[in-house]
């Protein structure tokens, strides 16, 4: 990342060396895949430019009085990539290294993700440069409320609907709901998804992304003639996505041989007790540090460890040209957004490793967000069974669709996923036409 704009406090505090990245700009990584798909589709250059360009970028200063009385100003973003298929949808992440180019890429990925799973939303993403791990609940609440107030004309149940992402959770969604509702003088629970069930959240939403990862992984295993009972899995990242995916794949009979979080990797060839790891993290400030049920390994060792399925569920740029040649997995299911760089894609393709791309593999989250929004608008709430069976069906359909497109054009699942979703959004744009 070149021009990395951070507020004064963050610049003073966070000066970690930049990791080695294959592609320094995630938006360019998105465009690189888009280009290949656009060529296959024979996309008109005008449409190309329209679809690749974010429609609106909001940048806002968020003043927060900290617990010690100091005033700090944080920088926040909301990028609306486009609203062609419906109101824009996408999470908000809080992290010290949030970058506008990253938020632009994540917003575009939401557009393709929604189109891919046939959810009638456009794409958006938000981000605030902050370190939530060093902030008190009160500071986080004030930051969230002021960010929401600054975005009051952007958000709305029919306009733009936020959700959780990295370091944001149900509580933060509840504060967004409340702040938005105070401004509109009525309770608007459909303005945000991923909120607590008591406030109009959906059953199954918290598990949805991990569940979707499990569904498409099983579908991929079927295609490759692999049996869950004979398969081993390594999961990078032990947040909402990684921990649930590990748990559900374990329930399907897989042996989870490695997990990791920011404190490093944990390996046990005999199988890690995932419930014990979840309980351990919950009791130790949400980290696995010191987890006794496994041997410590590095995150890079986890990526290349002996396993049949690798689930990168942490963050961008984890599978790179440096470690891709040594990956032993037959399937990579991308729980995170953008974990594989374009150069690594080339290597994995050549090596015949099946990558279930992020916009397909982690689309379970936004699918159940869509269910949540529908339930809020109807004021009628579904059972867990109904949520899960509809989610499973939609994920399965999307996987089969992408698989067919990949075979038809003889391309990777990633390029097929882009082809399929860009085609849908381009068709919708042609039908809507350009308002002059
Ligand atoms: N942040 C999640 C994602 O990247 C969920 C977005 C949503 O539910 O709107 O897909």
């Amino acid at each position: 990342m070149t021009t990395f704009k951070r507020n004064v406090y963050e610049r003073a505090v966070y000066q970690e060396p930049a990791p080695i990245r294959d592609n320094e700009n995630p938006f360019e990584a998105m465009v690189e895949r888009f280009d290949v798909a656009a060529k296959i589709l024979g996309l008109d250059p005008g449409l190309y430019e329209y679809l690749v360009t974010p429609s609106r970028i909001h940048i806002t200063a968020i003043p927060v009085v900290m617990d010690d009385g100091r005033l700090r100003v944080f920088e926040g973003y909301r990028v609306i990539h486009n609203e062609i298929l419906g109101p824009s949808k996408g999470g908000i992440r809080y992290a010290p290294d949030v970058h506008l180019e990253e938020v632009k890429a994540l917003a575009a990925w939401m557009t393709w993700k929604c189109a891919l799973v046939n959810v009638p939303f456009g794409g958006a993403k938000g981000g605030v440069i902050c370190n939530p791990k060093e902030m008190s609940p009160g500071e986080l609440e004030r930051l969230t409320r002021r960010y929401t107030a600054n975005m009051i004309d952007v958000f709305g149940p029919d306009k733009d609907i936020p959700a959780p992402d990295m370091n944001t959770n149900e509580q933060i969604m509840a504060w967004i709901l409340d702040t938005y509702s105070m401004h509109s003088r009525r309770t608007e629970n459909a303005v945000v998804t991923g909120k607590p069930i008591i406030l109009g959240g959906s059953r199954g939403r918290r598990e949805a992304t991990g569940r979707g990862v499990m569904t498409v992984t099983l579908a991929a295993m079927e295609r490759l003639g692999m049996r869950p009972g004979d398969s081993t899995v390594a999961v990078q990242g032990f947040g909402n996505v990684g921990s649930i995916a590990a748990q559900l794949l374990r329930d399907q009979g897989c042996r989870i041989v490695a997990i990791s979080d920011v404190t490093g990797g944990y390996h046990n060839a005999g199988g890690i007790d995932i419930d014990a790891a979840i309980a351990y993290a919950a009791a130790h400030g949400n980290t696995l540090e010191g987890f006794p049920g496994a041997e410590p390994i590095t995150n890079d060792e986890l990526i290349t460890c002996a396993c049949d399925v690798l689930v990168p569920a942490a963050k961008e740029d984890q599978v790179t040209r440096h470690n891709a040649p040594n990956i032993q997995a037959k399937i990579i299911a991308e729980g995170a957004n953008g974990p594989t760089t374009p150069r690594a894609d080339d290597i994995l393709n050549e090596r015949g490793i099946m990558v279930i791309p992020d916009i397909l593999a982690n689309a379970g989250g936004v699918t159940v967000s869509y269910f949540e929004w529908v339930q809020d608008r109807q004021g009628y709430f579904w059972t867990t069974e109904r949520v899960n069976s509809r989610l499973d069906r939609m994920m399965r359909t999307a996987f089969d669709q992408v698989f067919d497109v990949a075979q038809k054009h003889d391309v990777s699942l990633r390029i097929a996923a882009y082809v399929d979703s860009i085609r849908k959004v381009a068709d919708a744009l042609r039908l809507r036409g350009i308002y002059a």
Side-chain angles (χ1 to χ4, degrees), residues 78 88-93 106 109-110 113-114 121 124-125 161-166 168 193-194 205 209 241 335-337 358 362-370:
R78 184 75 180 167
S88 54
K89 186 84 189 80
I92 299 169
R93 65 172 55 178
L106 290 161
W109 282 325
M110 286 309 303
K113 201 183 292 189
C114 292
F121 287 139
K125 201 79 169 199
I161 307 128
D165 198 79
M166 207 182 277
T168 54
T193 61
R205 174 63 186 85
T209 312
V241 183
N337 290 307
D358 47 6
N362 70 37
V366 77
T367 302
V368 178
S369 275
Y370 166 56

Side-chain angles (χ1 to χ4, degrees), residues 202-213:
S202 177
R203 289 177 204 289
R205 174 63 186 85
R206 196 187 299 159
E207 298 80 13
T209 312
R211 187 175 177 88
V213 169

